[in-house]
C-alpha cells in the first residue's frame, strides 16, 4: 500500500518565498493559482496569449505575463496546460528561458513518462495529481476541505523534491484529506486505463449499447434512457458514498440478484482480455504515439465521434428528459 501523507506531515516552508509560476489558467490552472495564493504563496500566472484566460486571471487579481517572460526568474514552474500543448510550449517558450535549477511540477505524468518533455538534469521534477476537476479543487478548498491527490518524484536533485511536492499539495488543499505517494509511470498508466476502459470509454459504450438494445426491441426511447443512462448517476452516487457493497445493499433484492448474476456474464473473460490489451497499448507507448498523431492531424477522430454522439437518438432523448428532470428538481 502506498504511503499516505496528511496536513501534519507537510509544510509550506519548503516553497515559501519562492516565485511560483502557474502555466495555464484553465480548469486546474485557475484553481491551483487561487488556492496557492490564498495559502500565502507567491504566484504568477503565465500564459501564451492575451485571451479569455488572461482576462479572467486579471479579474481574479493576477497580473499575468507571457510564458517566456514569466519563467525567466521563476523558482517553480507548474505545468497546467493541456497535455498535448505542453511539449510545444516547452520547446518554444520555456526551455531556453527558464532559470537553471527551477523546479518542474506536473498534474499528470504523460509528458514526462512518455519523454515528450526531457527536463534539465539540474531541475527537481515532481507531480501533484488531484483526483478531481479544478472546480472541485477550488470549491473544496474554499469550504475548508480538499480534493485528495497523488504525488510522485521523477527527479530529486535538491534532496527536497518530496517535501516541496507535499508543500504544493498542502497549498492547494490536497493534504487536508491526504495524498498518496506513487510514480509518474503508475499515475500515467492507471489514469489513461481508467479513462479508456471505464470512466469515459467503457461506461459510455455500455450505456449506448444497452439503450440501443432496448430501443431496437420496440421499447420507448424515453423509458430506455431512464433505465440505461439517467439512473447511472444514482448508482455511481451510491458507490461514491457507500462503496460497491453499500450500493448492493441499498438497491432492491431483485436488482442485487440480477446484477450479480448477469453482470458477470456481460463483463466476461473476453472483455477482461480486451482490457488487458488496452493496458498493454498504454504501457508500451502505442496509445501515446497514436494520440500524438491524432492531435497533430487536428483531432479528426475526436471531432467526428463527438458529432456522431451529438446527433444520436440517446442524446436527443436525453436533452429532452434532462429538461424535465431540471424542472422537477428542488430549487
Amino acid at each position: 500500500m502506498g504511503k499516505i501523507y496528511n496536513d501534519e506531515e507537510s509544510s509550506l516552508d519548503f516553497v515559501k518565498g519562492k516565485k511560483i509560476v502557474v502555466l495555464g489558467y484553465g480548469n486546474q490552472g485557475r484553481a491551483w493559482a487561487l488556492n496557492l495564493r490564498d495559502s500565502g504563496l507567491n504566484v504568477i500566472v503565465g500564459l501564451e496569449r492575451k485571451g479569455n484566460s488572461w482576462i479572467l486571471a486579471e479579474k481574479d487579481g493576477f497580473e499575468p505575463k507571457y510564458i517566456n517572460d514569466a519563467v525567466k526568474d521563476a523558482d517553480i514552474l507548474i505545468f497546467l496546460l493541456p497535455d498535448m500543448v505542453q511539449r510545444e510550449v516547452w520547446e518554444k517558450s520555456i526551455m531556453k528561458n527558464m532559470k537553471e535549477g527551477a523546479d518542474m511540477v506536473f498534474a499528470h505524468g504523460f509528458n514526462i513518462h512518455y519523454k515528450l518533455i526531457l527536463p534539465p538534469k539540474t531541475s527537481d521534477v515532481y507531480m501533484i495529481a488531484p483526483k478531481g476537476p479544478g472546480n472541485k479543487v477550488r470549491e473544496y478548498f474554499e469550504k475548508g476541505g480538499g480534493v485528495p491527490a497523488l504525488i510522485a518524484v521523477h527527479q530529486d536533485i535538491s534532496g527536497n523534491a518530496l517535501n516541496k511536492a507535499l508543500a504544493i499539495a498542502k497549498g492547494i488543499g490536497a493534504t487536508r484529506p491526504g495524498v498518496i505517494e506513487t510514480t509518474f509511470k503508475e499515475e500515467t498508466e492507471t489514469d489513461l486505463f481508467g479513462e479508456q476502459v471505464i470512466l469515459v470509454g467503457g461506461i459510455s459504450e455500455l450505456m449506448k449499447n444497452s439503450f440501443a438494445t432496448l430501443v431496437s426491441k420496440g421499447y420507448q426511447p424515453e423509458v430506455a434512457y431512464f433505465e440505461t443512462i439517467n439512473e447511472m448517476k444514482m448508482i455511481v452516487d451510491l458507490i461514491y458514498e457507500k462503496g460497491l457493497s453499500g450500493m448492493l445493499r441499498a438497491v432492491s433484492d431483485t436488482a442485487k440478484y440480477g446484477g450479480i448474476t448477469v453482470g458477470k456474464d456481460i463483463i466476461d473473460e473476453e472483455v477482461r482480455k480486451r482490457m488487458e490489451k488496452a493496458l498493454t497499448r498504454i504501457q508500451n507507448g502505442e496509445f501515446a504515439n497514436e494520440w500524438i498523431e491524432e492531435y497533430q492531424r487536428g483531432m479528426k477522430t475526436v471531432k467526428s465521434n463527438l458529432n456522431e454522439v451529438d446527433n444520436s437518438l440517446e442524446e436527443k432523448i436525453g436533452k429532452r428528459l434532462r429538461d424535465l428532470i431540471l424542472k422537477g428538481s428542488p430549487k
Side-chain angles (χ1 to χ4, degrees):
M1 300 217 16
K3 165 75 175 169
I4 300 177
Y5 296 90
N6 56 37
D7 240 8
E8 289 70 36
E9 296 171 286
S10 58
S11 172
L12 292 173
D13 290 343
F14 288 97
V15 295
K16 264 205 172 145
K18 304 285 188 183
K19 181 177 178 181
I20 301 170
V21 173
V22 171
L23 303 167
Y25 206 71
N27 192 264
Q28 289 287 346
R30 180 173 187 264
W32 283 49
L34 291 170
N35 289 7
L36 291 171
R37 185 178 68 182
D38 288 351
S39 294
L41 299 175
N42 179 21
V43 180
I44 303 293
V45 173
L47 297 170
E48 276 291 276
R49 63 188 63 85
K50 287 189 176 181
N52 291 335
S53 293
W54 190 291
I55 294 168
L56 180 58
E58 288 183 325
K59 185 178 177 184
D60 288 336
F62 292 102
E63 296 180 4
K65 295 182 178 181
Y66 289 113
I67 287 176
N68 57 342
D69 290 326
V71 303
K72 284 179 181 175
D73 59 348
D75 300 300
I76 299 171
L77 311 179
I78 302 180
F79 289 71
L80 295 173
L81 301 157
D83 285 337
M84 300 313 295
V85 173
Q86 287 185 18
R87 178 169 64 171
E88 179 186 346
V89 174
W90 163 252
E91 293 174 349
K92 184 178 78 171
S93 303
I94 301 173
M95 187 167 56
K96 295 177 183 177
N97 293 306
M98 69 182 282
K99 183 171 75 175
E100 184 177 358
D103 293 2
M104 297 173 64
V105 185
F106 296 84
H108 180 36
F110 190 93
N111 277 273
I112 294 295
H113 179 57
Y114 291 119
K115 297 180 171 58
L116 300 177
I117 292 176
L118 298 174
K121 297 297 184 185
T122 54
S123 291
D124 284 351
V125 181
Y126 46 94
M127 172 178 62
I128 303 97
K131 302 318 292 175
N135 64 322
K136 294 300 179 186
V137 172
R138 181 59 179 165
E139 178 189 334
Y140 285 20
F141 179 90
E142 288 185 297
K143 291 179 178 177
V147 171
L150 303 179
I151 62 167
V153 173
H154 174 73
Q155 202 164 272
D156 185 7
I157 305 304
S158 69
N160 266 325
L162 178 59
N163 288 324
K164 288 186 284 187
L166 287 169
I168 296 294
K170 186 183 187 77
I172 64 170
T175 55
R176 293 172 181 174
V179 295
I180 303 171
E181 193 170 11
T182 183
T183 64
F184 273 64
K185 171 182 166 61
E186 184 174 62
E187 186 277 335
T188 302
E189 292 177 356
T190 55
D191 185 78
L192 294 174
F193 179 80
E195 290 169 351
Q196 294 171 25
V197 171
I198 181 68
L199 301 176
V200 180
I203 199 68
S204 296
E205 290 304 317
L206 269 175
M207 290 190 289
K208 284 159 59 179
N209 280 281
S210 58
F211 172 84
T213 298
L214 287 177
V215 172
S216 71
K217 298 301 180 183
Y219 297 98
Q220 292 182 70
E222 291 83 1
V223 175
Y225 186 91
F226 272 121
E227 297 301 335
T228 62
I229 297 176
N230 185 72
E231 289 191 26
M232 180 62 68
K233 181 188 184 307
M234 301 171 192
I235 296 299
V236 170
D237 284 348
L238 281 171
I239 295 170
Y240 180 82
E241 293 166 10
K242 303 173 182 290
L244 289 168
S245 61
M247 178 273 290
L248 287 169
R249 287 179 171 82
V251 300
S252 71
D253 288 342
T254 306
K256 270 196 277 289
Y257 177 74
I260 288 169
T261 56
V262 178
K264 291 176 183 176
D265 186 48
I266 300 298
I267 308 300
D268 60 8
E269 191 57 33
E270 289 303 311
V271 174
R272 278 285 305 278
K273 287 177 182 176
R274 290 194 289 276
M275 287 182 175
E276 289 175 4
K277 180 181 176 183
L279 180 57
T280 298
R281 292 183 69 246
I282 291 167
Q283 291 171 327
N284 64 20
E286 187 179 336
F287 168 77
N289 291 332
E290 180 186 297
W291 167 225
I292 291 165
E293 289 177 11
E294 162 76 6
Y295 178 77
Q296 290 172 341
R297 290 196 305 263
M299 300 198 298
K300 292 180 181 178
T301 303
V302 173
K303 290 173 182 176
S304 171
N305 278 268
L306 282 174
N307 187 58
E308 186 179 311
V309 171
D310 286 341
N311 293 294
S312 66
L313 176 61
E314 60 266 26
E315 192 62 13
K316 291 174 182 175
I317 293 295
K319 184 180 185 310
R320 186 172 152 212
L321 293 182
R322 286 193 296 274
D323 290 341
L324 289 178
I325 294 163
L326 287 173
K327 282 181 184 176
S329 62
K331 298 294 187 282

